């Protein structure tokens, strides 16, 4: 009921703050018999982790994952899987100046008003550091979905600021630190980010996540439509401000004829719907777009108040991504994997043989 | 776990098909002591119901609601509230032709593949008829939120096809059958819909929902962020394809300076964030946008297959809205009310005095 | 989260008061393709309903069930099933005297203190009338479990007051109005109840419920052990005060050797454990015992207070069972069926093929 | 949905096996502002931990708890609390002999049939070792309930084998290793257990748990009655076979007059109901009894089969409690605390000011 769990059958519960000793998660509902080891998870964590490119936060975390329960002889036992990731590179001094200030567009203000207390060493639970456990849990889901159903979940950066990056190739995505599929845009992005960093500003971004080979029938009627559940899980990622399925926002100006995916004996003639009809997967690619706001921590002074309500100016120093949307790619892939995994199991429960 | 419930403390569970005898819902978690009668609910149902304007479906349903439990002497008792709405104007013959056909962009295909059976008399649970119970449940939430917190939830049509309808006035919204706030656009919309109906085509739309006076502190960290929960509930409405909070999709091109809502002693200087920071309400207006795809039932022939997999052409007759996005306004208001109500109670549980 | 739902995948939600127009329930998670009609449910409702024997309440309710959604052409569609039962024989005048009095051992006092309001026409939600919907939902579960797994759930009265009724035959159970399996005890019970009714007193009882052919593997580790979930569902029946699995309370004085069910190549040598080991079904009969307190409404004057806190005497008139434990048999069967059904689906989700 | 979580608002999720590196738990829903440190938890863990008396298992675990999230400057922040306890004294060789054998009355057989895999190093998740995290979570609940409502939860051994131990004094309970409140029975118990250990046998027990100062109004109608929820949580403890509220099993032979707790201006005249009426707390002491089966691991040879289905004899060596019911006292206290805590928060959600 409180907010630190997601999923109904495949259920992920997390804890840990950006400046505490570690992050941890309990992943419940993993079917028994899945081959799983630390490496399976580490691969995905490495895609998300900071400090390995000069275009992301310089906080250097190895994000070394340790599975400490739920596995016996390399195989899942069907019981709850415990994972943890230690925090290594904590510099609390970075944050001491903002102890009594609310950083605009951060969660400082709302957390303190809600709870009456705030871990001012960093973002606490509202920090993007928390997403490391999501990626770890998503890696388990990804592996299961791949092995059992050949489902493949991949994402790419589709827009950063005013630079649009139409899809070109999946190979390219893993070759650059921006998850950009379009080799022609890389230079432009590098130039843009360098300029941004210099000015102390940040920028928003849009990403696209695609799931292939999703079986027909995932999603529940009415409130737990697959699109609603995906919207929930993707929108729960830090900084997410929009979520679209298929043609998304563009449907507002389409006519029925334009939007219609005709049905042919060998499948659908188009995929405006993004692979979901009536809230249930139709076997086509599931296509999700999400926009992320610019990093809130910037070095350009802004107005704020302190905890006593007095006017102040603030500059947020520290080691921040100039564009949090970039690293949102592996996180959003993980969230989509978690949601699809949950629905694969829910499908088995009600409609399985 | 199956999909017919929403909410954790304020919990709405529904049943009923478009062509069955009635729709019903059980609303659990309503605090005791709330004055409530059929009229409170009827008002909202009347805003949603079909057949009262020539611009919406001509199915004539009175949508007369009956509360049959949970109320004693006009006051909620704290126990589960039962509501029902009878279906009056059913014409199953309208649908007999499409018994063995999958209507493109409808749920026919996915329901039949998922469940192995489909109620071909109509949309069954996937029909927008189901949303009447949502509106009824939302009316209860709206009343509670208004009385207890002076929260006001309102919506308007912000785009239909290529006609953009910037906000003008709340008074105007209730004066026309389009929930359009902008009096200058009404003629244009009327002209456009008339043309559409004549051609047998349909169109998408975008709506905006705003909640005012929302207290600071609603929403839970990490997975149950208020934005994630709103995304879930709005995206669960039939035909929804995108959901945005605040500046939404536009954040992708904003810089940190542009997006930043500075904090002043008397509140925020702007509301790019749409009233939510770190997943928690910040006291500003909560602003939600959603796009709805064009009505799938159109009279322009399209390709499909029958249940035997053979090529066929289809025209979907019957009494359909040319633009389902219009009537989505009261439905989305209801869903936002349900989600806020749930979070008001969740807040009380953990942080209440 | 409020209390009117049970189950996670097979989920039953109910509403309706003893003196309102009807009782209703929404049963979600029923797999598609199950043949189901009103008769399947009516059979079980008739076993529970009052007014058909002089040894139970004289309130005459037909308890005619109506399924109004979730079924198409006699087959479940996989969507939520709506059921309702009208209240026919309401006599509110029976209760007017006790409007301002708290009936001892009833829920009057606690409901009013909790909610600040009480439906004094009758027990409201705390009335055993509410259990009719449980029996209806249980009938659906029973049918599914029988057809899919040949699971058979039956119960009998094992004790009433000081009369112990050791098991004799299942045939006998349906032949007498006491669900007594032991023909030799019938006369004694009749004599005892007649005397009780004359004196205006009531009595407690103990019942035994047995599930046969339960597959190995139902139940989840740690908190959702099958025994814990059964304890929850049976203890949620009005007037239940104890629940035992297998040897139950007698294990306190057993030694390890005495309690041990040895394992032989063809099964277990005994069933002290009542069919559950480590919280998971082991394929043996699941054996559950439950004790129910005497009916609280008795005609022998007792001390109480009125709603102003003043000393009063009370006699509870009306049409009450002299022993609520008797009719608990079909209710407890239903609750066990609901719990097993939920776990059959949970098993499929995580461990199904 | 899988079984490793309990609670709806105060929610405890656990992982970790008896022979893995550690046990861990995530406790979500703790209100912010509670002073909390390791010592608060350690006190309760020490009451449960093995190896500190010759009458319990000789496995020597320090059970040193570490809170690693959710606390800032000694105060709960309202976010999820992570705790862990390392396993120190693991001797896997103790178990190697039984790798291919099913230990009677253990979970070996059911886990292997359910999951197709079993952690044969020990009980895995079915081991009582898992309960350490329950006690830790319960300690947090206990502290909150004590500080906010002055609720006091205590338990004692009421029966071991044929030795009945009527309540005498709470002071005595903490003075002996049996949680026995009755000083006159200690010698008899010591003598009995010594004899048992010598013979290699084990014995069952019954315990009583009492909660004082519970406010009126906890518990939800119908399915989530307080007694049902308590039954669930206590019955989820390893080896529990019965649960009773108030007069429990004895109500079967009581008459209405005998069982009736009359209401006087200053409270109830008696407490046969055990503090719960209509599923809601009435302000009296909540009284719970539970029976635990004898330890399954005994040194007296018994028949079993191996994983190939062949007849075998088994002796379970290792370091086991001769009576698991003894250490069930602090565990059951913890479970009752967890359930009451959850309901205190649920009450606030729906009926709080």
């Amino acid at each position: 009921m409180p907010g630190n769990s997601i999923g109904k059958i495949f259920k992920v519960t997390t804890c840990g703050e950006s400046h505490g000793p570690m992050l941890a998660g309990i992943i419940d509902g993993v079917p028994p018999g899945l081959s799983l080891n630390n490496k399976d998870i580490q691969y995905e964590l490495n895609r998300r982790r900071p400090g390995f490119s000069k275009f992301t936060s310089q906080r250097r975390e190895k994000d070394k994952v340790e599975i400490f329960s739920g596995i016996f002889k390399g195989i899942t036992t069907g019981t709850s899987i415990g994972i943890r990731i230690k925090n290594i590179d904590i510099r609390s001094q970075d944050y001491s100046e903002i102890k009594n200030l609310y950083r605009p567009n951060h969660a400082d203000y709302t957390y303190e008003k809600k709870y009456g207390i705030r871990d001012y060493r960093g973002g606490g639970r509202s920090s993007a550091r928390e997403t490391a456990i999501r990626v770890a849990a998503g890696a388990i889901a990804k592996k299961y979905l791949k092995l059992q159903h050949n489902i493949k979940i991949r994402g790419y950066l589709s827009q950063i600021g005013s630079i649009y990056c139409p899809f070109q190739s999946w190979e390219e995505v893993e070759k650059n630190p921006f998850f950009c599929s379009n080799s022609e845009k890389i230079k432009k992005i590098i130039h843009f980010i360098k300029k941004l960093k210099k000015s102390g500003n940040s920028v928003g971004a849009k990403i696209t996540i695609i799931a292939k080979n999703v079986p027909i029938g995932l999603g529940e009627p009415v409130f737990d439509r697959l699109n609603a559940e995906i919207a929930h899980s993707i929108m729960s990622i830090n900084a997410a401000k929009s979520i679209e399925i298929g043609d998304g926002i563009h449907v507002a100006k389409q006519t029925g004829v334009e939007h219609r995916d005709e049905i042919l004996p060998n499948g659908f003639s188009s995929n405006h719907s993004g692979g979901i009809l009536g809230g249930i997967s139709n076997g086509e690619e599931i296509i999700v777009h999400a926009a992320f706001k610019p990093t809130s921590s910037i070095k350009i002074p802004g107005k704020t108040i302190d905890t006593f309500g007095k006017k102040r100016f603030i500059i947020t120093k520290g080691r921040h991504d100039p564009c949090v949307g970039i690293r949102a790619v592996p996180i959003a892939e993980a969230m989509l994997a978690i949601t699809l995994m949950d629905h694969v199991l829910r499908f088995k429960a009600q409609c399985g043989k």
Side-chain angles (χ1 to χ4, degrees), chain A:
Chain A
M1 234 280 323
N4 299 287
S5 296
I6 196 163
K8 299 219 166 143
I9 300 187
F10 180 73
K11 195 168 167 182
V12 177
T13 304
T14 72
C15 66
E17 288 89 25
S18 62
H19 286 64
M22 71 181 103
L23 307 166
I26 298 178
I27 294 112
D28 208 358
V30 181
L34 179 69
S35 157
L36 187 72
N37 58 42
N38 292 343
K39 269 190 220 164
D40 294 316
I41 297 178
Q42 198 63 54
Y43 173 78
E44 294 291 339
L45 280 171
N46 290 348
R47 294 176 68 221
R48 189 213 75 100
R49 82 188 158 87
F52 77 115
S53 137
K54 57 188 168 185
F55 304 105
T56 58
S57 164
Q58 292 307 299
R59 177 167 170 172
R60 298 196 77 84
E61 290 289 351
K62 289 204 172 158
D63 279 354
K64 214 185 138 202
V65 72
E66 181 192 347
I67 305 176
F68 62 86
S69 77
I71 306 279
F72 183 56
K73 299 197 159 182
I75 302 290
T76 58
T77 59
T79 60
S80 47
I81 293 176
I83 50 175
R84 63 175 185 144
I85 297 167
K86 286 186 193 164
N87 287 327
I88 306 289
D89 186 15
I90 301 169
R91 299 191 204 157
S92 272
Q93 67 277 23
D94 286 345
Y95 295 91
S96 56
E97 284 177 34
I98 50 106
K99 178 177 163 178
N100 295 314
L101 293 180
Y102 301 121
R103 292 168 296 171
N105 283 55
H106 270 273
D108 297 351
Y109 180 80
T110 51
Y111 267 60
E112 190 154 321
K113 295 293 178 189
K114 180 183 180 82
Y115 296 116
I117 181 175
R118 163 168 71 100
D119 179 348
Y120 51 71
R121 294 169 302 170
R125 284 298 278 164
S126 76
S127 164
R129 178 108 196 93
E130 159 265 317
T131 59
I133 295 292
R134 302 184 185 220
V135 170
I140 299 174
K142 269 189 169 182
K143 183 162 191 192
Y144 179 87
L145 295 172
K146 184 76 181 61
L147 287 175
Q148 294 292 314
H149 298 282
N150 200 27
I151 296 173
K152 204 157 185 179
I153 297 167
R154 294 181 292 199
Y156 61 92
L157 182 77
S158 38
Q159 181 188 347
I160 176 166
S162 303
I163 308 171
Y164 293 83
C165 312
F167 181 75
Q168 216 176 48
S169 99
W170 288 116
E171 287 67 38
E172 182 59 31
V173 171
E174 305 295 325
K175 284 187 191 155
N176 63 74
F178 311 112
F179 301 99
C180 179
S181 73
N182 196 317
S183 57
E184 296 156 32
K185 304 286 180 172
I186 308 295
K187 269 194 192 160
K188 213 171 165 183
I189 297 173
I190 290 175
H191 181 72
F192 177 58
I193 293 187
K194 278 186 178 164
K195 225 175 64 186
L196 258 184
K197 284 186 76 171
K198 215 167 165 182
S199 71
N201 211 341
S202 63
V203 76
K206 195 170 163 183
I207 66 173
T208 299
I209 311 292
I210 287 174
K212 218 175 132 173
N213 300 329
V214 176
I216 306 175
L218 304 193
E220 301 293 328
V222 186
F223 298 114
D224 288 356
R225 281 172 155 85
L226 189 57
N227 39 324
E229 295 263 291
I230 291 172
H232 187 145
S233 77
I234 301 289
M235 193 64 109
S236 78
I237 301 171
N238 309 48
K241 298 305 276 186
S242 80
I243 165 94
E244 301 168 90
I245 304 290
D247 285 0
I249 211 163
H250 302 295
V251 301
K253 58 175 188 295
Q254 291 174 344
T255 66
V257 169
E258 286 163 354
H259 183 77
R260 177 163 58 183
D261 300 318
E262 292 180 307
I263 314 177
L264 309 177
N266 57 343
F268 292 86
S269 67
S270 53
N271 189 14
H272 296 288
S273 72
I276 302 173
L277 287 176
I280 296 172
S281 62
N282 68 358
E284 297 294 304
E285 284 189 348
I286 290 181
I287 302 169
V288 183
H289 310 282
F292 295 84
K293 69 178 187 184
T295 312
S296 304
S297 298
I298 53 178
K299 297 199 179 74
I300 298 169
K303 290 177 193 162
T304 190
I305 55 172
D306 61 23
T307 53
F308 310 100
K310 271 185 151 171
K311 276 189 191 184
R312 299 282 295 272
F313 274 89
I314 192 163
I315 290 174
T316 312
K317 293 175 192 166
R319 302 162 293 166
H320 303 288
D321 288 272
C323 174
V324 288
I326 295 171
R327 288 206 284 141
V329 171
I331 303 167
E333 287 174 19
M335 292 313 295
L336 183 56
I338 288 169
T339 298
L340 291 179
M341 175 81 178
D342 195 35
H343 279 276
V344 160
L345 300 184
R346 289 169 78 168
F347 179 89
K348 275 171 69 185
Q350 207 192 346
C351 302
K353 297 307 146 214

